[in-house]
């Protein structure tokens, strides 16, 4: 049986990524570090590793820091999903000179498919009935809760939840309002905190 927690099984990292992408705001190592630490705690990620070509027991952990992200590009570990199953996961920072900092927590579809047979490749089968898409509702709610925990420590500009959402839109384009037709979920700051507008399923 293929283990969805195996780093060296390339199929676990295949198929693209289901993500919580967080627009932190203007470039700031301090704010990005606060968000990274909060994310690791909120998601209860086990381990912090730089390589996916070695199993965790075959490599040393690296510090969960902005410096590690800059050096290794990706930080990886394993996480327990709402279903109780464990899968590989990762995190990457997207930083551009003329744009805001983004922090992206991702779950590879390859690993997700191994723990839930309802999950297929993107685009997801919207015609297969509500029951088959319940996996998205559960996963989206969990990612939204993680984003809310991060927001409690670092008030970010926007959160996006769904398949490869990072770079799709930024807070300046939304002006505080999610589009009526939504293929991904939105975490939008409000005067009273953070609002989650889920994807239209």
């Amino acid at each position: 049986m293929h283990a969805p927690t195996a780093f060296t099984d390339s199929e676990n990292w295949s198929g693209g990524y289901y993500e919580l992408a967080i627009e932190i705001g203007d470039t700031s190592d301090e704010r990005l570090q606060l968000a990274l630490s909060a994310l690791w705690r909120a998601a209860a990620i086990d381990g912090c590793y730089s390589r996916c070509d070695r199993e965790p027991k075959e490599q040393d952990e690296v510090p969960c820091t902005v410096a590690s992200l800059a050096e290794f590009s990706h930080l990886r570990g394993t996480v327990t999903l709402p279903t109780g199953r464990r899968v590989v996961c990762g995190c990457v920072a997207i930083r551009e000179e003329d744009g805001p900092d983004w922090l992206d927590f991702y779950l590879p579809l390859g690993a997700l498919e191994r723990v839930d047979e309802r999950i297929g490749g993107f685009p997801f089968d919207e015609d297969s009935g509500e029951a088959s898409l319940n996996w998205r509702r559960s996963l989206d709610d969990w990612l939204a809760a993680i984003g809310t925990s991060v927001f409690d420590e670092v008030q970010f500009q926007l959160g996006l939840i769904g398949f490869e959402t990072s770079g799709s839109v930024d807070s300046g384009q939304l002006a505080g309002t999610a589009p009526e037709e939504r293929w991904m979920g939105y975490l939008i700051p409000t005067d009273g905190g953070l609002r989650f507008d889920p994807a239209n399923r």
Side-chain angles (χ1 to χ4, degrees), residues 14-150:
S14 68
Y17 303 108
Y18 209 83
E19 303 174 335
L20 164 62
I22 300 172
E23 182 185 346
I24 305 297
D26 293 340
T27 300
S28 166
D29 285 356
E30 181 181 2
R31 283 173 51 78
L32 186 59
Q33 180 62 61
L34 289 171
L36 176 63
S37 298
L39 170 66
W40 228 257
R41 284 192 303 272
I45 299 170
D46 184 25
C48 185
Y49 302 97
S50 63
R51 303 180 63 167
C52 64
D53 61 347
R54 292 183 181 177
E55 294 300 329
K57 65 183 179 182
E58 299 169 345
Q59 59 178 311
D60 293 330
E61 287 196 50
V62 299
C64 185
T65 62
V66 172
S68 291
L69 279 173
E71 181 177 356
F72 305 115
S73 296
H74 294 255
L75 298 178
R76 299 173 175 91
T78 58
V79 69
T80 301
L81 301 173
T83 59
R85 301 294 302 276
R86 293 190 65 78
V87 296
V88 295
C89 65
C91 185
V92 64
I94 302 165
R95 313 185 81 179
E96 300 176 356
E97 290 184 8
D98 58 348
D101 283 350
W102 285 80
L103 186 64
D104 188 6
F105 170 56
Y106 60 84
L107 305 163
L109 279 192
L112 290 177
E113 289 173 4
R114 285 179 166 171
V115 299
D116 193 331
E117 63 184 13
R118 297 173 299 175
I119 301 173
F122 185 85
F124 307 119
D125 189 359
E126 303 292 341
D127 297 325
S128 60
E130 183 175 344
S132 67
L133 293 175
N134 282 341
W135 68 267
R136 283 194 70 188
R137 184 172 293 108
S138 171
L139 198 57
D140 287 1
D141 289 346
W142 177 67
L143 291 171
I146 292 170
T148 300
S149 293
V150 174

Side-chain angles (χ1 to χ4, degrees), residues 23 25-26 100 102 156-160 168-177 186 188-189:
E23 182 185 346
D26 293 340
W102 285 80
F156 52 76
Q157 304 298 308
L158 178 67
L160 304 175
S168 301
V169 66
D170 61 40
S171 58
Q173 294 170 293
L174 290 180
T177 304
Y186 294 81
I188 299 177

